[in-house]
Amino acid sequence: MKKTFMLSSMAVLTLACSTTKNVSTTKPTEIHDVNFYANTITSDELKKDLYTYASDEFEGRETGEEGQKKAVEFLKQRYVDLGIPSAKTNGDYFQEVPLEVIKTPEVTLNVNNTDFELISDFISVLPSASNTINTTNIIYAGYGIETENYSDYTTLDVKDKVVLFKAGEPKNTDGTYTISGTTTTSKWSNFRQEFALKRDLAKSKGARAILFYAPDIYDMAANRYGKSHGRMTLQDKEEELFFFVINTKLAETILPSIQTESAPQTLASNFKLNYKKVSEDFNSENVAAFIKGSEKPDEIIVISAHLDHEGIKDGEVYNGADDDGSGTVAILEIAEAFKQAQNNNEGPKRSVLFLHVTGEEKGLLGSSYYADIDPIKPLNNTMVDLNIDMIGRTDPTRKNTNRNYVYLIGSDKLSTDLHNISEAVNKSCCNIELDYTFNDDNDPNRFYYRSDHYNFAKNNIPVIFYFNGTHADYHKPTDTPDKIEYDLLENRTRLIFYTAWELANRDNKIVVDKAVK
């Protein structure tokens, strides 16, 4: 057999990818290479775990509910059985995550001597802190846009002010859009992008409250944010900013000409807000297991996936087999492969943290708690996060093309090294088509910001997000384990293992050479 196998970042090597299960738990009489351990990852074992994890018994794994508690106990027991210890020094596999359920706030709002009602006239989007605002002017910021060539904020100071802006973007007299210079809109008009971009821009300029006039999405916003609907956030993570989506009646009370007015200006308006947050505290859990590196134990590779899903709605269990049962069981198989290598004294040089996070479906809450508040292992020792969220199905748009693919997101955002290593590993082991469709900075879906890797990326830790794309069963009770394509799940899981193995065993750390996005 070959000596312990490591890829150089740009090596071109040929690896066997057989499906033979070959398990060893004692010191071998000969040296194994990485293929030996990769081949322990099989579709049969992935299927066995997933049929348990995404069963009705786990009740859809709703954050904080009984099904989620069963899920974390299942994960803990799997690590106990594998002999992989907790990542915490006290031996507890669970990291308690303090959360709160956001109830409908108690709000009164009077603008220009007219009372407006929560939900029917305006919708509170953020879990804002209780407070009051009493002001005699509102800043109208047009479309609320700022780019290199255009800004609605040039003459405006919005610090500590109430800011009103509307959906969409400006046009030139010839009918082209000012931002793009063409007849095609920019990201400032795409709902998901504009919602975040305009909010974050106003927040960065110090706005105290945002009034977003977006009539086309009002009903959707009311459905999502109007009542509590199980919305959650981290305890003590209140927003000082108020963010309201408002209806036409309220918008035109402030600025009657808002439909046609684009010029930013200060408006004389009496605005009186009294806002009381209403919430209920509870705890959920991340699960964290750890294999200590043999040579560089303080340098850490994180492999993450979210353990939660949508729970039970109208009596139907949302099993979440793909989202994210597939990522969860992939981590278990990867962990088993690394553990077998360690048992054979061929374990990784760097440490590997297997992190299952809660509350992803509620706003990346578990990973936010880990990365922003209480990292079990220091972030400055964390070299990379490989995040797995839905890798068991085929995107319907790819049904007539190569099904042996995976979408990669983020690999080049912070580190050229990481991207090149990822590409070289794949060419050497698996020859899966790496599709970067959703890696575009202007991706209207904003997938880069929508899974747990982003809480590492925003802390300057390079990431790769592995993803198969959405499908008809996404966030439906029909996302069940019988619909998983287990050959694809096996291939993708092996690719992630090979990549993690290379990162854990290469001589040099990867270089961070790009700014956080």
Side-chain angles (χ1 to χ4, degrees), residues 488-507:
L488 296 182
L489 180 55
E490 176 187 280
N491 291 345
R492 293 161 177 168
T493 303
R494 288 187 181 189
L495 170 62
I496 299 162
F497 169 74
Y498 277 116
T499 304
W501 181 276
E502 163 63 10
L503 293 168
N505 288 296
R506 69 196 311 266
D507 290 336

Side-chain angles (χ1 to χ4, degrees), residues 175-228:
T176 59
Y177 287 94
T178 303
I179 307 301
S180 66
T182 70
T183 56
T184 302
T185 59
S186 73
K187 61 186 178 182
W188 294 94
S189 284
N190 174 276
F191 157 62
R192 190 180 293 276
Q193 289 174 296
E194 109 172 286
F195 201 76
L197 289 169
K198 293 182 178 182
R199 174 202 64 203
D200 293 347
L201 177 59
K203 183 177 180 179
S204 72
K205 292 181 177 296
R208 183 70 182 86
I210 294 170
L211 307 178
F212 182 29
Y213 177 47
D216 290 345
I217 66 163
Y218 192 87
D219 289 343
M220 180 281 296
N223 182 62
R224 181 171 182 179
Y225 299 108
K227 297 288 186 180
S228 72

Side-chain angles (χ1 to χ4, degrees), residues 93-95 97 284-288 307 355-358 366-367 370:
Y93 287 88
F94 299 155
Q95 179 186 41
V97 180
S284 188
E285 301 85 16
N286 293 334
V287 180
L307 60 88
L355 181 63
H356 303 263
V357 292
T358 189
S367 58
Y370 181 95

Side-chain angles (χ1 to χ4, degrees), residues 231-245:
R231 291 172 59 202
M232 297 178 186
T233 189
L234 295 172
Q235 291 179 26
D236 303 320
K237 193 85 171 181
E238 298 172 319
E239 289 276 358
E240 294 302 317
L241 175 72
F242 294 105
F243 184 16
F244 301 128
V245 178

Side-chain angles (χ1 to χ4, degrees), residues 231-266:
R231 291 172 59 202
M232 297 178 186
T233 189
L234 295 172
Q235 291 179 26
D236 303 320
K237 193 85 171 181
E238 298 172 319
E239 289 276 358
E240 294 302 317
L241 175 72
F242 294 105
F243 184 16
F244 301 128
V245 178
I246 65 173
N247 69 1
T248 300
K249 176 184 175 183
L250 176 51
E252 292 184 345
T253 297
I254 300 169
L255 180 60
S257 61
I258 193 168
Q259 307 290 354
T260 56
E261 182 63 66
S262 59
Q265 56 192 280
T266 300

Side-chain angles (χ1 to χ4, degrees), residues 435-447:
D435 189 327
Y436 296 98
T437 296
F438 299 120
N439 192 55
D440 191 312
D441 288 346
N442 293 318
D443 167 33
N445 300 283
R446 288 177 60 85
F447 286 130

